[in-house]
Structures are given as structure tokens and as C-alpha cells.
Amino acid sequence: MPTDVRRLFEWAAAPDFNYREVNQEERASAAPRQWSALAATNRLLRERLAGANPRASGVPYRTFSIAVVSMSGGVGRTTVVANLASALSQNGRRCVAVDLDPQDTLGLHFGQHLEEAAGMSCEDPAAESQQLLVARARGGPVVVPFGKLDPAKLAMLEWKMTLERDWLRRRLDQAVPRDTDVLLIDTPAGQRPMVEQALSLCEVALVVLAPNVTSYSTLPAIEELLEANVSPSCTVRVLVNGFNATRALDGDVMASLRGVLGQRLFPQPVQEDEAVAEALGRLKPLLHEAADSQAAADLAAIAEWIETYAAARTEPGRFGPRLVARS
């Protein structure tokens, strides 16, 4: 990089800036040498990918479905689901976002009351439809909360799901309108029965990572989870959330991921943005509160990829023109 250009970025507090077009491959190979934790994870991941077994032969759900997963908490998985659902809805798509995380926080992005108990975990979600479809009246996506369960009932539910492998499909048939274009499923962190069932039904598995060593080190476990549960036709994509270009490790994590994952990785991460927390503080999606923020633009771009991919995988004409064209 020319000296004057480097000085400019140093002045802008981004001394580690690199031209991706020029040195992407060099940085992808150099990053593991600088960060030993990345090298150890890459070695395990390559071994697993080299010896991968054929994937499970699950049958996708009737609606184009996306399971959003992670092995560790705190990566912003629920925020991604909420804002993708919001973006798809703004584009005129009939979108349903289902919360399978017992923390039950997806609805908070759309003004859900904390005391609401109904949700996917109740015995008959269809009977509680007026409470479940919390965002439809506001012109947004349909949001199906998980519901409130005490620890004992949650343990019983998870045990039931290990015995009834079609539990989620039956619940979705009850709670999700048949004219839905895209179904987004928010799952809890880790390997749990609800995660396994969501992956077995989805056409896209969206893995969310934070640009740090803890999240990066979960990649081999994520790959094992995917091998055991997704169908051969399922597409896997990895998204880095909360990226800050001024941090050297963030850039090296992205470069190393590109070198290991290739096209599985979304080339554009979601930028770290204070507006994300502020929007949740107002119980609204980011795309409603700060549509001009960089994070909102990143999430909107991923929603557009979902639309394009879904249109190619579903019957012709199902995804018509958008109601709102983006400039």
C-alpha cells in the first residue's frame, strides 16, 4: 500500500486496513500464523471436512425455510433473524419468524410483552393464534414466540423432541400460514433437539459467528452438527456479525474464514453498530429505527440474497416484484 494511503488510514484509526482485492489470499494464509487459536481451529476444521460423512436425508419444509444457528451465545443470532424478517416483509414477502430459543427474545424486536406466555412450546399454538402473530397488525412479519416454560417443563419438552423427530414439523403446520414465502427459524445456541429438528427441515442453514476466537473455535463443532442433521440439498452460509474494521483480529478472522470456507462465507459481514442495541431498547427492528445505518444496509443485502436464492429454488413466479424497490 502506498505510504500516503497508509498514513490516511492510520489517521482514521484504521491502521490495519488492507485492500481485499490485492492481498486477500496473503492475509488468509498469514492470519493463522499470527493467531495460534485460528490455526488450531483451521486444522480441526479441515480434518473434519476431509473426512465428512454423507449428510442426513431430511425433507425440507413446505415453505422456503432458513434455520439460523450458532454454537455459542452472544453472536447476535436473534437480531439477525428479526431484521432479516423485517427486511423481507418490507420487500413485500410473506415472512414468518419462529422463535425456538427458550430465552424467548425474538418478539422483543417487535414490541412483544414480556409477560406473554403463548408460543411454539404451548400444547396448541393454533389455538393461541391471536397472541402468536404479534407483528402482523403492524404490517411487519408474523412472529411466533417460543413461549414461557419453567426449567422442568423445558426439560420435558426437549426429551419429547428427542423421541418425536417430527415435533417441529407438526408445530409449524399448526402455526405457520400456508401462503408464507419465507420461514426464518431462530434457534438456541449449541446442539439441542430444537436445533437438530430445525436443521433437518431447512433449505438454508445460516451460521452466525462473532469475529472473535471463542466463536471461531466452534467451527468444527458446527460442521459436525450440520453433517448430522441437514439434508444433502441444504445450502450452508456463514455470516460474521458485529464486525469492526478497526480491530486487527476482526480483519484476520474474516480473512482466515475466507481461506477456509470459500463461498460458504458471506463476503460482507454485518458491521458493529450502536444503533442495533438502541433499536432493541425501543422494541423495534433496526431497519425501522436506523434504516440508513451500515448494519441495516448489510442485513438488507443478505435479505436480498435470500429473495434471489429462494426464487431460484421455488416454483416460478412465486417471488414477484418487490413492493418497495431499494435504490
Side-chain angles (χ1 to χ4, degrees):
M1 182 186 299
T3 302
D4 56 341
V5 175
R6 178 168 293 281
R7 286 175 179 170
L8 174 62
F9 281 98
E10 288 175 350
W11 173 83
D16 199 61
F17 177 85
N18 285 274
Y19 286 112
R20 184 188 305 172
E21 296 82 357
V22 175
N23 67 354
Q24 176 176 314
E25 293 183 3
E26 291 86 342
R27 191 172 189 184
S29 60
R33 292 197 298 270
Q34 181 176 0
W35 309 98
S36 56
L38 302 188
T41 298
N42 288 356
R43 184 175 64 254
L44 291 173
L45 184 60
R46 288 193 176 99
E47 290 174 357
R48 173 156 293 284
L49 290 173
N53 297 319
R55 291 177 175 175
S57 55
V59 179
Y61 191 59
R62 54 177 166 77
T63 297
F64 188 85
S65 54
I66 302 170
V68 183
V69 302
S70 69
M71 290 301 290
S72 57
V75 299
R77 184 184 57 254
T78 300
T79 298
V80 167
V81 172
N83 285 285
L84 289 180
S86 179
L88 289 164
S89 179
Q90 286 182 6
N91 288 345
R93 310 310 173 195
R94 292 164 298 207
C95 183
V96 174
V98 170
D99 195 348
L100 285 186
D101 191 340
Q103 294 187 61
D104 197 31
T105 57
L106 177 61
L108 293 180
H109 293 267
F110 301 94
Q112 174 190 335
H113 297 299
L114 290 173
E115 63 272 14
E116 290 182 8
M120 286 292 291
S121 59
C122 71
E123 285 301 317
D124 184 8
E128 307 287 351
S129 60
Q130 295 305 311
Q131 296 182 57
L132 296 179
L133 310 184
V134 296
R136 169 168 280 180
R138 304 182 185 187
V142 173
V143 181
V144 185
F146 180 79
K148 298 293 187 292
L149 290 181
D150 60 44
K153 290 183 178 180
L154 177 59
M156 290 180 62
L157 174 61
E158 292 193 308
W159 173 247
K160 185 176 184 179
M161 293 182 72
T162 62
L163 301 177
E164 300 178 12
R165 299 298 296 175
D166 65 339
W167 181 92
L168 179 57
R169 181 182 290 273
R170 289 188 285 105
R171 282 290 191 264
L172 293 175
D173 285 341
Q174 291 176 310
V176 177
R178 297 196 67 84
D179 62 350
T180 300
D181 291 326
V182 179
L183 170 65
L184 289 163
I185 306 176
D186 184 24
T187 65
Q191 185 170 353
R192 300 175 68 170
M194 48 276 283
V195 181
E196 295 170 356
Q197 291 200 19
L199 286 172
S200 71
L201 300 178
C202 71
E203 292 182 86
V204 173
L206 178 58
V207 179
V208 180
L209 298 177
N212 58 46
V213 170
T214 301
S215 188
Y216 194 103
S217 66
T218 64
L219 279 170
I222 288 172
E223 188 60 35
E224 183 178 4
L225 179 67
L226 295 172
E227 287 174 16
N229 294 286
V230 301
S231 70
S233 61
C234 177
T235 296
V236 177
R237 288 291 182 271
V238 177
L239 173 66
V240 173
N241 186 41
F243 179 80
N244 187 331
T246 67
R247 292 192 293 251
L249 180 58
D250 286 32
D252 284 341
V253 164
M254 279 296 299
S256 187
L257 285 171
R258 290 190 190 102
V260 176
L261 299 178
Q263 293 186 348
R264 268 192 175 190
L265 179 70
F266 274 109
Q268 177 62 39
V270 178
Q271 305 295 313
E272 184 179 67
D273 197 325
E274 292 181 1
V276 175
E278 293 172 356
L280 180 56
R282 297 184 180 91
L283 301 181
K284 293 182 179 180
L286 175 67
L287 274 71
H288 287 187
E289 283 294 286
D292 57 347
S293 66
Q294 182 59 54
D298 297 334
L299 289 161
I302 297 165
E304 291 176 13
W305 177 87
I306 290 172
E307 288 185 87
T308 302
Y309 191 77
R313 294 286 293 266
T314 56
E315 63 270 20
R318 177 165 180 175
F319 283 74
R322 293 177 182 163
L323 293 182
V324 179
R326 294 189 183 275
S327 58

